[in-house]
């Protein structure tokens, strides 16, 4: 047998109790060239092991003398099916040497705790191991089934595939769309990556430009009927496009109800890029440098460089992509130059900041680039003592607000929902969120040069008061953080 596990430079092992589990471990270690001594009280079993050229001796692992037989071994694995025998063996080995590395077999969590208390370094429960292995096999089988179903659906497309991202797409959505486009191309299908809104954030623009990802604005498409298959990736919506949806791939449940032919939604993964990486692997494709770089950046962006809600699946996907990605390009994407508009918004936000406790809210005034608000909110989060920020500004008779938080006690997405959910649109999660509020709800004043200052003053007061209340901040007078 071969599990693919590589043991370290340790070479001397002892196995006490060689039933089916012990034999499987012994076989793997010997295959890797390790020196293995097997101790078992069943003489016929020991004789059979010797016939296979294994170093086996007859002894009762419950007896203190057995510990002396394995005293020169670096690692001792106590793997008998009788847990009481294993407990005695652990006690005897520890009485002789407390530096040997001990692995002991348990039958349940209680016996596992008892073995640890007696001195076992690692406790294994075969039932749990089998269950985990079964779940991994199930996940692998499910992925293989889904990949086959997705391939069949794509191959049945007679004209063109529309891959729809979320509105004003972020790196995870763009990367996931690029991966699906690569899969479609692998299957001989032409496709377009389509979006609504705009690619406004400087990092996102740099991301798209440097990797040469071709995005198509929905309003610029002359003939929408060319798409006979539609896929939504990363929490997209097609309500404004009036398209029937055939495919959904996401790591969040969609807000709208769809009845597509193919659905793969995995809330246990932190990014849709992780899901699409699994499909790239399942299709056994040669992933291009551009797609690998996009997916790796999508995972890193969605997990805040593996500091937020990261799962083992995200890490294994990133490890797979790492050798194929262009890391110079990643560095350029992560450090784009700041536009004059963003600099102006940041300066305004710094000047107008109001800090109450560890919460900062700031009015950036009238803005042209709404994405500059998100960058200002992120930069202000670096201010000493600040754990939550919200920066808002006015554009197109709408108040746009970007929130960021590194406070584990606060879900900034829920804060904005509580503050503005009934009067506008909010979106986001625990660390980053946004809100759009019609300006007339607060003032009813028509925007003009004469009313500008009054408008900003009334808006600032109303937005800040509502937001600080939602944050649970007392109504004390704030400061600018000095």
């Amino acid at each position: 047998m071969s599990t693919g596990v590589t043991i370290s430079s340790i070479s001397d092992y002892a196995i006490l109790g060689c039933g089916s589990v012990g034999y499987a471990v012994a076989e793997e270690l010997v295959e890797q060239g390790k020196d293995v001594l097997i101790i078992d009280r069943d003489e016929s079993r020991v004789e059979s092991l010797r016939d296979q050229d294994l170093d086996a001796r007859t002894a009762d692992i419950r007896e203190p003398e057995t510990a002396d037989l394995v005293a020169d071994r670096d690692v001792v694995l106590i793997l008998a099916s009788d847990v009481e025998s294993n407990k005695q063996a652990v006690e005897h080995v520890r009485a002789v040497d407390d530096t040997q590395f001990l692995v002991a077999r348990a039958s349940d969590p209680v016996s596992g705790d008892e073995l640890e208390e007696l001195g076992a370094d690692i406790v294994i429960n075969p039932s749990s191991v089998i269950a985990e292995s079964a779940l991994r096999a199930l996940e692998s089988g499910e992925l293989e089934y889904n990949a086959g179903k997705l391939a069949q659906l794509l191959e049945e497309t007679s004209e063109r595939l529309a891959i729809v991202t979320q509105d004003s797409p972020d790196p995870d959505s763009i990367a996931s769309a690029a991966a699906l486009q690569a899969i479609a191309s692998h299957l001989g299908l032409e496709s377009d990556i389509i979006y609504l809104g705009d690619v406004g954030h400087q990092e996102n623009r740099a991301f798209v430009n440097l990797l040469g990802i071709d995005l198509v604005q929905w309003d610029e498409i002359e003939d929408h009927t060319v798409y006979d298959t539609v896929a939504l990736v990363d929490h997209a919506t097609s309500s404004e496009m009036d398209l029937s949806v055939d495919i959904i791939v996401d790591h969040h449940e969609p807000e709208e109800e769809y009845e597509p032919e193919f659905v793969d939604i995995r809330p246990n993964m932190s990014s849709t890029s992780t899901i699409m990486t699994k499909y790239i692997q399942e299709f056994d494709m040669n992933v291009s440098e551009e797609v690998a770089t996009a997916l790796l950046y999508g995972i890193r962006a969605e997990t805040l460089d593996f500091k937020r809600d990261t799962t083992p699946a995200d890490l294994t996907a990133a490890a797979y992509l790492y050798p194929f990605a262009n890391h110079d390009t990643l560095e350029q994407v992560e450090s784009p130059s700041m536009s004059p508009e963003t600099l102006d918004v940041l300066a305004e936000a710094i000047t107008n900041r109001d800090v109450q406790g560890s919460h900062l809210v700031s009015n950036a005034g009238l803005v042209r680039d709404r994405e500059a608000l998100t960058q200002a909110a992120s930069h202000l989060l670096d201010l000493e003592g600040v754990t939550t920020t919200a920066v808002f500004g006015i554009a197109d008779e709408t108040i746009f607000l970007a929130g960021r938080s590194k406070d584990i006690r606060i879900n900034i997405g829920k804060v904005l929902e509580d503050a503005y959910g009934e009067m506008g649109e909010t979106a986001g999660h625990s660390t980053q969120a946004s809100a759009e509020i019609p300006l007339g709800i607060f003032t009813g004043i028509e925007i003009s040069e004469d009313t500008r200052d009054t408008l900003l003053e009334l808006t600032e007061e109303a937005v800040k008061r509502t937001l600080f209340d939602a944050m649970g901040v007392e109504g004390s007078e704030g400061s600018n953080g000095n």
Side-chain angles (χ1 to χ4, degrees):
M1 103 174 186
S2 179
T3 62
V5 176
T6 301
I7 309 300
S8 69
S9 58
I10 295 172
S11 59
D12 297 323
Y13 294 80
I15 296 176
L16 306 187
C18 195
S20 59
V21 174
Y23 180 75
V25 174
E27 189 180 31
E28 176 66 33
L29 290 173
V30 170
E31 187 174 317
Q32 295 190 21
K34 307 302 181 182
D35 181 7
V36 182
L37 170 63
I38 301 171
I39 305 293
D40 197 277
R41 64 181 177 180
D42 188 325
E43 291 186 10
S44 63
R45 181 180 297 161
V46 169
E47 192 65 33
S48 175
L49 292 170
R50 286 175 177 170
D51 289 341
Q52 299 175 59
D53 294 328
L54 295 173
D55 183 4
R57 304 178 195 179
T58 303
D60 192 335
I61 70 171
R62 297 172 296 184
E63 299 299 327
E65 294 78 9
T66 303
D68 295 325
L69 295 175
V70 299
D72 62 338
R73 301 284 155 162
D74 295 316
V75 179
V76 179
L77 300 101
I78 303 171
L79 302 176
S81 57
D82 179 22
V83 176
E84 292 304 318
S85 298
N86 291 346
K87 292 178 185 177
Q88 294 177 56
V90 170
E91 282 189 283
H92 297 323
V93 171
R94 277 290 174 246
V96 173
D97 189 344
D98 62 359
T99 63
Q100 286 176 296
F101 193 78
L102 286 189
V103 179
R105 174 180 174 179
S107 59
D108 53 56
V110 174
S111 62
D113 291 340
E114 292 172 345
L115 286 164
E116 286 184 350
E117 290 175 4
L118 291 169
D121 294 295
I122 291 179
V123 174
I124 59 172
N125 185 343
S127 298
S128 299
V129 173
I130 292 171
E132 290 174 6
S133 179
L135 288 173
R136 286 196 298 270
L138 177 62
E139 182 179 339
S140 176
E142 185 179 15
L143 180 61
E144 182 180 357
Y145 172 79
N146 282 346
K149 188 176 178 181
L150 176 61
Q152 181 181 0
L153 182 59
L154 293 177
E155 288 169 347
E156 289 174 353
T157 301
S158 58
E159 293 191 45
R160 200 171 187 87
L161 168 69
I163 305 172
V164 185
T165 70
Q166 61 181 228
D167 294 355
S168 303
D170 65 8
D172 187 31
S173 188
I174 296 169
S176 301
L180 184 55
Q181 187 174 53
I183 290 172
S185 178
H186 177 72
L187 297 173
L189 176 64
E190 294 186 347
S191 62
D192 292 321
I193 301 175
I194 300 170
Y195 72 102
L196 286 167
D198 56 80
V199 183
H201 196 292
Q202 287 168 178
E203 282 190 21
N204 296 348
R205 290 198 297 267
F207 176 64
V208 170
N209 294 334
L210 287 169
L211 292 174
I213 299 173
D214 189 14
L215 303 182
V216 181
Q217 233 284 349
W218 173 251
D219 294 334
E220 295 177 0
I221 300 172
E222 295 182 2
D223 183 8
H224 297 149
T225 63
V226 298
Y227 303 109
D228 53 347
T229 301
V230 177
L232 305 186
V233 290
D234 195 39
H235 217 188
T237 174
S238 67
S239 57
E240 295 182 40
M241 298 182 176
D242 191 27
L243 294 174
S244 60
V245 177
D246 305 290
I247 298 167
I248 294 180
V249 182
D250 205 341
H251 68 115
H252 291 302
E253 293 287 346
E255 295 178 359
E256 299 181 31
E257 291 188 6
Y258 300 103
E259 295 183 358
E261 290 187 51
F262 180 88
V263 179
D264 191 350
I265 298 173
R266 306 194 205 183
N268 62 322
M269 294 186 182
S270 298
S271 71
T272 307
S273 293
T274 298
I275 302 172
M276 294 310 304
T277 300
K278 301 295 183 185
Y279 279 105
I280 291 284
Q281 292 175 284
E282 186 61 35
F283 279 102
D284 197 22
M285 297 167 48
N286 291 323
V287 60
S288 69
E289 180 179 275
E290 292 75 18
V291 171
T293 305
L295 287 169
L296 181 57
Y297 183 64
I299 296 170
R300 287 174 55 172
E302 201 69 8
T303 61
L304 291 183
D305 221 2
F306 309 109
K307 294 191 286 285
R308 177 186 70 199
D309 301 332
T310 307
T311 69
D314 302 316
L315 295 174
T316 55
Y320 167 76
L321 296 166
Y322 190 87
F324 305 110
N326 186 318
H327 299 279
D328 290 336
T329 299
L330 278 175
E331 186 175 349
Q332 288 180 273
V333 170
E334 292 169 341
S335 305
S337 58
M338 185 176 289
S339 69
E341 165 71 3
T342 300
L343 189 61
D344 290 342
V345 169
L346 179 58
E348 192 77 10
I350 292 172
T351 301
N352 295 334
R353 69 190 185 278
D354 184 351
V355 181
Q356 296 197 22
S358 62
H359 307 308
L360 180 152
V361 179
S362 184
N363 181 3
L366 297 174
V367 298
R368 295 187 300 277
D369 182 2
R370 299 177 316 192
E371 289 295 330
L373 298 172
T374 65
Q375 294 177 72
S378 296
H379 282 295
L380 289 174
L381 200 59
D382 293 330
L383 187 66
E384 184 178 359
V386 172
T387 62
T388 304
T389 62
V391 179
F392 62 93
I394 300 173
D396 302 325
E397 299 188 6
T398 302
I399 301 168
F400 294 95
L401 185 147
R404 293 291 183 271
S405 181
K406 57 185 178 183
D407 188 339
I408 61 173
R409 300 167 299 176
I410 283 186
N411 182 320
I412 190 64
K414 189 175 186 309
V415 167
L416 295 193
E417 172 65 24
D418 291 343
Y420 311 115
E422 294 184 359
M423 61 182 78
E425 296 182 6
T426 64
H429 43 66
S430 60
T431 59
Q432 57 186 29
S434 61
E436 297 182 15
I437 311 138
L439 187 59
I441 287 178
F442 285 107
T443 66
I445 299 174
E446 185 177 348
I447 300 176
S448 69
E449 287 296 324
D450 296 333
T451 62
R452 180 183 183 278
D453 291 340
T454 302
L455 185 63
L456 291 176
E457 196 174 306
L458 291 172
T459 301
E460 180 174 27
E461 180 183 351
V463 172
K464 285 168 61 175
R465 183 176 65 249
T466 304
L467 187 53
F468 277 131
D469 286 346
M471 289 177 175
V473 176
E474 297 294 332
S476 58
E477 186 176 350
S479 70
N480 66 1
N482 290 334

